[in-house]
């Protein structure tokens, strides 16, 4: 509720009312309940001080000293005690006794306590309130993740539009509605009931924002203490004074007051990921007939405030304000903050500052403008009728008339056309023909069935560096297709390849040959390894075993029992083929030394240890052999193996059983460059975290000491790779003619299972065939190119060039050969999308209706462009103007503004031309 803060007369009235309540309840002072009963009612129970806060309810402030004295009184047990607290006295909480404003910086628990309404009324009825003092009532407000009592409400300065020098300061709770602010202002300024009023709020930048929604709270409207609220009263002629008041429409900064530029050449500030909105607005702003409609105030007579499907005219008014500012010629750029808030208010999907789709916003805006400007004030029920064998011309005319009976606006006049929809039942052959209106065309682009993948090939020969390859593979292919494509470049058989997704120095996934290529994203790092065996060991098989190997470095951090806490993965993992007769720890060490020999240096004889194991070392002074060396290397002393992995009854070909231990070497026998240990797929030593891990093929980790790695491991050489000639290949995308897109749009298709058609003849839902045809095209044709392809694993943008346009062959309505301009269009605006779906950016090319010059709009930046610069594969939404409309606007009677230049009716390039 609003609270008096600065008006002495109103404050006195509130005090008098409070005093009356106190006087009425003072006789009950003799009927005080027992002290224990008082304590329970005030401190405990549903009405007590300990009850939880509830949003919107009232709580009262009580001076802490008085409350402590009351506590001592009721806890003393003597109802006649001298500690009787007397009337509630909050004098120390007020700055003065005239305005009764609270002191600043009061702290709960030190200066006051809070009581719920019921407890407060109990105390007032028992003890009374000091004469002349108003109760200090405050509301509970709900903030994100918290509810609190609002001790200091918002103080607003209420003024009238024709007397800005005289203000009334009134306190409002954050939870009070804007409607209460409006009612309070009407009471203060003695407005007659029949007069219409509305509110404006002056923001921190000095401009004024309309407070449209009277149902939102002061908190939601972001009103702050000291903010100026202006009440405006409608004049008798139905107009608002703000139409003549410069202060109401002045959103210019001082530096722009003297600026005079070309109308329409005005940028839009990016408020944070709002480039999608800016692009859509710039395209729509450069539709000549729509902009003239708003500039000439034609919309004022057609605003529909009572349309339940509309937005009470607020979207239309906000868009009109934006157009008038952009085409005033007084702004280099404007901040569309009010429009953004308006859109977010009526379409919650556009709240906040996330990236969105410009076409989705455009669809919402066209629909919102249509409903706000709908000339049909009360929509009648219209029954849709099927063709039932009647001529198309008759059915189409009936459908259009029915549409206009419910929808009649400047948007319908400018953007709406008519489809012909034909459905054929696959069972009985029943044909259903309907004609449906459309506001824009969403046409598909021809999709390539190929994709390009970049992979790294890791040969078995350690002397060869990894190779980067760029492969052309079928989009719907399998991993085996990738191996076949790579085999053509390398000469290695696909059967000797294993494909892996490497992420953060480990194997994120090892692919099977039958898995689909769609599971590989473009951003994945794909490694293809040449192998000579398989990972799954098969008993009795003589094939080599493929072992996944990670590289780890021991970090200076504390090593917790050889766990991964002190080890850090580095480099690229390996898939190493190990002969079965080498499948011992020392044999594996030798194989790995050979595979790493390109970038790991062998220690010479001077590096050998001279410790207690010197005698044992003498036996192994030979050079470490590679995989080509014959003979099996067995551990001569298996009984000296390290601790067991703790896993028993396992497949005899799993590493732990074959090797006998989970780590090596068990003790120092000679100077080793690194140690080996079985790990899980994450590269950690804990392999018993899940039952699946226990019986899974273990991975091997090569653990390096920092000094050994620095001395013997060449990181530069290890990271080196070569580029295959195919890396320079770029899959050429053939330009797509817009006719191809329209052909795809009008192609016969079968309905999906999720969207069957109910056949009135069969009396059941059928997967009918459907065909869309163009019957009637609008003055302004909007074409939305479906550049985003959606699959189970990814959503990709299709960067495909769009060339010329010819609609005459697609309109099936009998054509007027004497007026071919009815089917020919000129490009006037393009919404561009660059980048990916999540991190893309929107811009606009648009032709100025007055000058005929094309400009490039990139948020608040605007620059003229040449015609050839408009050829862009980033085109996403295209705006075309029918040629007969362009000719009409060229005539002086067609527009109140300057006639359009012929340049605007001549397409900038053949890419968008209507080709005869």
């Amino acid at each position: 509720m609003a609270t008096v803060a600065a008006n002495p007369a109103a404050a006195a009235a509130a005090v008098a009312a409070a005093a009356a309540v106190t006087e009425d309840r003072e006789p009950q002072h003799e009927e005080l309940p027992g002290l224990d009963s008082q304590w329970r009612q005030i401190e405990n129970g549903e009405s007590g001080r300990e009850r939880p806060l509830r949003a919107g309810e009232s709580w009262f402030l009580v001076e802490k000293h008085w409350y402590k004295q009351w506590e001592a009184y009721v806890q003393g047990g003597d109802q006649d005690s001298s500690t009787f607290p007397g009337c509630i006295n909050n004098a120390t909480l007020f700055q003065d006794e005239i305005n009764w404003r609270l002191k600043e910086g009061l702290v709960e628990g030190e200066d006051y306590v809070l009581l719920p309404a019921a407890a407060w009324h109990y105390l007032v009825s028992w003890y009374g309130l000091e004469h002349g003092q108003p109760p200090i009532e405050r509301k509970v407000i709900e903030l994100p993740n918290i509810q609190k009592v609002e001790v200091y409400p918002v103080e607003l300065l209420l003024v009238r539009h024709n007397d800005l020098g005289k203000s009334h300061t009134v306190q409002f709770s954050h939870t009070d509605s804007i409607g209460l602010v409006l009612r309070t202002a009407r009471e203060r300024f003695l407005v007659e009931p029949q007069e219409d009023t509305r509110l404006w709020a002056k923001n921190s930048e000095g401009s004024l924002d309309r407070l449209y929604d009277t149902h939102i709270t002061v908190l939601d409207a972001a009103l702050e203490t000291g903010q100026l609220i202006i009440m405006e009263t409608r004049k008798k002629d139905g107009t608002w004074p703000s139409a003549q008041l410069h202060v109401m429409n002045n959103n210019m900064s001082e530096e722009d007051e003297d600026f005079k530029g070309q109308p329409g050449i005005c940028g839009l500030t990016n408020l944070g990921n709002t480039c999608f909105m800016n692009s859509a607005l710039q395209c729509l702003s450069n539709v000549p007939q729509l902009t003239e409609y708003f500039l000439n105030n034609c919309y004022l007579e057609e605003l529909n405030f009572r349309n339940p499907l509309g937005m009470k005219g607020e979207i239309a008014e906000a868009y009109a304000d934006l157009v008038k500012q952009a085409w005033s010629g007084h702004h280099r750029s404007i901040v569309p903050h009010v429009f953004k808030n308006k859109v977010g208010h009526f379409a919650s999907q556009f709240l906040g500052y996330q990236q969105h789709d410009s076409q989705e916003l455009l669809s919402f805006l066209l629909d919102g403008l249509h409903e706000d400007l709908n000339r049909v004030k009360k929509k009648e029920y219209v029954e849709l009728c099927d063709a039932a064998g009647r001529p198309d011309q008759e059915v189409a005319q009936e459908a259009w008339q029915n549409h206009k009976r419910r929808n009649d606006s400047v948007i319908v006049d400018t953007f709406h056309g008519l489809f012909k929809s034909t459905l054929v039942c696959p069972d009985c052959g029943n044909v259903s023909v309907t004609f449906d209106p459309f506001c824009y065309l969403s046409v598909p682009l021809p999709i390539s069935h190929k994709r390009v993948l970049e992979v790294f090939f890791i040969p078995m020969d350690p002397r060869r560096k990894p190779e980067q390859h760029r492969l052309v593979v079928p989009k719907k292919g399998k991993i085996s297709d990738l191996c076949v494509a790579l085999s053509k470049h390398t000469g290695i058989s696909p059967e000797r390849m294993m494909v892996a997704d490497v992420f953060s120095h480990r194997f994120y996934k090892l692919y099977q040959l039958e898995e689909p290529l769609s599971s590989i994203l473009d951003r994945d790092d794909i490694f293809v390894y040449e192998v000579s065996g398989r990972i799954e060991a098969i008993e009795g098989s003589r094939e080599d075993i493929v072992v996944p190997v990670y590289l780890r470095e021991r970090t200076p951090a504390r090593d917790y029992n050889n766990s991964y806490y002190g080890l850090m993965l580095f480099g690229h993992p390996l898939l190493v083929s190990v002969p079965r007769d080498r499948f011992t720890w020392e044999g594996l060490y030798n194989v790995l030394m050979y595979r790493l020999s390109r970038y790991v240096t062998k220690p010479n004889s001077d590096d050998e240890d001279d410790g207690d194991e010197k005698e044992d070392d003498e036996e192994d002074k030979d050079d470490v052999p590679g995989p080509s060396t014959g003979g099996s290397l067995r551990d001569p002393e298996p009984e000296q193996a390290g601790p067991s992995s703790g896993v028993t009854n396992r497949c005899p070909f799993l590493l732990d059983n074959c090797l006998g231990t989970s780590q090596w070497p068990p003790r120092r026998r000679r100077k080793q460059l690194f140690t080996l240990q079985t790990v899980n797929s994450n590269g950690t030593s804990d392999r018993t975290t899940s039952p699946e891990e226990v019986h899974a093929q273990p991975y091997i980790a090569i653990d390096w000491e920092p000094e050994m790695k620095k001395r013997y491991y060449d990181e530069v050489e290890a990271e080196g790779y070569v580029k295959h000639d195919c890396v320079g290949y770029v899959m050429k995308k053939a330009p797509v003619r817009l006719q191809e897109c329209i052909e795809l749009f009008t192609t016969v298709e079968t309905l999906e299972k999720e969207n069957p058609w109910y056949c009135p003849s069969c009396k059941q839902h059928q997967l009918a065939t459907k065909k869309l045809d163009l019957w009637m095209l609008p003055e302004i044709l909007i074409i939305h190119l479906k550049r985003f392809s959606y699959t189970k694993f990814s959503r990709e943008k299709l960067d495909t060039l769009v060339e010329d346009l010819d609609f005459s062959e697609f309109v099936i309505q009998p054509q007027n050969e004497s007026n071919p301009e009815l089917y020919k269009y000129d490009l006037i605006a393009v919404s561009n999308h660059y980048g990916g779906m999540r991190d893309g950016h929107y811009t606009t090319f648009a032709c100025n209706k007055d000058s005929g010059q094309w400009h490039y709009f990139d948020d608040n930046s605007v620059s003229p462009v040449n015609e050839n610069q408009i050829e862009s594969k980033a085109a996403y939404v295209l705006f075309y103007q029918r040629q007969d409309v362009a000719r009409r606007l060229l005539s002086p009677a067609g527009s109140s503004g300057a006639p359009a230049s012929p340049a605007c009716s001549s397409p900038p390039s053949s890419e968008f031309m209507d080709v005869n």
Side-chain angles (χ1 to χ4, degrees), residues 18 55 78 94 131 138 143 299 311 386 459 522 665 671 687 711 719 726 764-765 790 854:
D78 184 1
F94 295 108
H131 180 74
R138 295 293 185 263
L143 300 175
Y299 75 99
M311 300 160 198
D386 194 79
D522 290 338
K671 188 174 186 67
R687 295 190 54 231
R711 186 172 180 182
E719 295 294 327
C726 63
Q764 60 183 346
H765 289 89
Y790 298 83
W854 282 84

Side-chain angles (χ1 to χ4, degrees), residues 200-484:
W200 298 78
K202 188 174 183 179
N203 59 34
S204 59
E205 298 176 352
S207 58
L208 298 174
D209 299 328
R210 270 279 307 281
L211 298 176
Y212 288 94
D213 192 351
T214 58
H215 300 288
I216 65 172
T217 64
V218 171
L219 178 64
D220 293 335
L223 300 183
E224 301 174 348
T225 293
Q227 193 163 0
L228 187 67
I229 305 298
I230 302 174
M231 188 191 72
E232 184 183 14
T233 306
R234 188 191 294 270
K235 297 195 304 182
K236 291 183 180 180
D237 62 359
T239 62
W240 296 97
S242 58
Q244 289 85 33
L245 288 179
H246 176 70
V247 65
M248 290 291 179
N249 290 321
N250 181 19
N251 287 329
M252 294 183 295
S253 61
E254 293 183 3
E255 62 180 9
D256 283 342
E257 287 184 353
D258 299 328
F259 173 76
K260 185 63 179 177
Q262 171 70 41
I265 312 304
C266 177
L268 295 173
T269 299
N270 193 323
L271 305 176
N273 285 327
T274 57
C275 57
F276 73 97
M277 181 185 75
N278 295 345
S279 179
L281 288 173
Q282 294 288 13
C283 286
L284 209 57
S285 172
N286 282 278
V287 173
Q289 54 268 55
L290 184 64
T291 295
E292 289 293 336
Y293 172 86
F294 282 101
L295 292 180
N296 295 330
N297 288 333
C298 300
Y299 75 99
L300 291 176
E301 299 178 1
E302 298 183 347
L303 282 171
N304 190 338
F305 294 101
R306 297 183 179 180
N307 185 356
L309 300 179
M311 300 160 198
K312 304 187 187 327
E314 295 182 27
I315 286 293
E317 285 190 335
Y319 179 74
D321 290 343
L322 208 62
V323 168
K324 292 192 174 191
Q325 292 179 52
W327 288 85
S328 69
H330 291 290
H331 303 279
R332 294 180 176 88
S333 66
I334 55 179
V335 182
H337 184 71
V338 175
F339 181 84
K340 168 69 171 62
N341 289 343
K342 199 65 61 184
V343 169
H345 173 69
F346 289 106
S348 58
Q349 67 267 31
F350 297 114
L351 279 172
Y353 297 95
Q354 300 297 318
Q355 181 68 279
H356 293 280
D357 191 305
S358 66
Q359 186 272 332
E360 291 178 2
L361 178 87
L362 184 65
S363 175
F364 161 79
L365 182 55
L366 289 173
D367 184 64
L369 289 175
H370 160 64
E371 296 296 355
D372 273 359
L373 300 169
N374 199 342
R375 304 176 187 113
V376 179
K377 306 303 179 185
K378 186 177 181 180
K379 295 189 177 185
E380 57 181 303
Y381 173 74
V382 176
E383 185 175 356
L384 299 179
C385 298
D386 194 79
R390 294 179 293 163
D392 284 351
Q393 192 79 28
E394 177 185 339
V395 180
Q397 184 176 359
E398 179 186 84
W400 185 250
Q401 289 176 348
N402 288 340
H403 177 60
K404 293 277 285 186
R405 285 162 64 185
R406 293 174 55 86
N407 305 278
D408 184 15
S409 70
V410 65
I411 301 301
V412 175
D413 299 341
T414 308
F415 298 99
H416 282 206
L418 206 60
F419 282 138
K420 177 186 176 183
S421 175
T422 305
L423 290 164
V424 180
C425 178
D427 286 352
C428 67
N430 178 44
V431 178
S432 172
V433 175
T434 58
F435 287 83
D436 304 303
F438 67 88
C439 191
Y440 54 85
L441 298 181
S442 287
V443 299
L445 288 174
I447 300 176
S448 170
H449 299 290
K450 298 286 186 179
R451 65 181 291 197
V452 175
L453 283 179
E454 288 192 359
V455 303
F456 285 91
F457 175 67
I458 313 297
M460 289 182 61
D461 186 348
R463 295 167 296 182
R464 293 175 56 189
K465 291 184 178 181
E467 300 172 357
Q468 184 183 18
H469 291 258
R470 179 170 290 174
L471 309 175
V472 179
V473 295
K475 278 189 175 180
K476 296 184 179 181
K478 299 179 181 179
I479 298 297
S480 57
D481 295 316
L482 184 152
C483 296
V484 170

Side-chain angles (χ1 to χ4, degrees), residues 612-682:
D612 295 335
E613 304 297 331
K614 187 172 182 180
E615 295 80 4
D616 294 331
D617 292 341
E618 292 296 331
E619 302 174 8
D620 301 314
K621 279 290 179 95
D622 297 334
D623 290 339
V624 178
S628 59
T629 305
S632 172
L633 292 177
R634 298 290 179 180
D635 195 336
E637 295 180 342
E639 68 276 9
Q640 297 180 6
S644 170
S645 65
V647 181
T648 58
N649 299 324
R650 302 182 53 194
C651 170
F653 294 99
L654 293 180
L655 282 177
D656 284 2
N657 287 9
C658 288
L659 301 176
T661 65
S662 61
Q663 60 185 23
W664 184 86
R667 58 185 177 85
R668 294 192 65 82
R669 302 180 56 247
R670 53 182 287 181
K671 188 174 186 67
Q672 305 294 340
L673 299 188
F674 47 78
T675 59
L676 303 178
Q677 181 167 336
T678 55
V679 293
N680 59 21
S681 59
N682 288 326

Side-chain angles (χ1 to χ4, degrees), residues 77-105:
D78 184 1
Q79 201 156 358
D80 299 324
S81 170
S82 59
T83 59
F84 182 77
C87 292
I88 300 174
N89 189 350
N90 290 329
T92 61
L93 302 182
F94 295 108
Q95 287 184 358
D96 55 67
E97 297 184 1
I98 299 176
N99 295 323
W100 301 103
R101 182 174 298 172
L102 286 184
K103 293 179 179 178
E104 296 292 335

Side-chain angles (χ1 to χ4, degrees), residues 726-757:
C726 63
V727 174
Y729 168 78
V730 177
M731 189 168 67
K732 187 176 181 180
K733 297 181 181 179
V736 177
R737 293 169 58 89
L738 200 52
Q739 284 92 333
E740 296 179 59
C741 304
I742 303 300
E743 287 172 0
L744 283 174
F745 178 77
T746 56
T747 300
V748 177
E749 62 178 359
T750 302
L751 297 179
E752 298 178 349
K753 294 181 179 180
E754 297 78 13
N755 187 30
W757 170 66

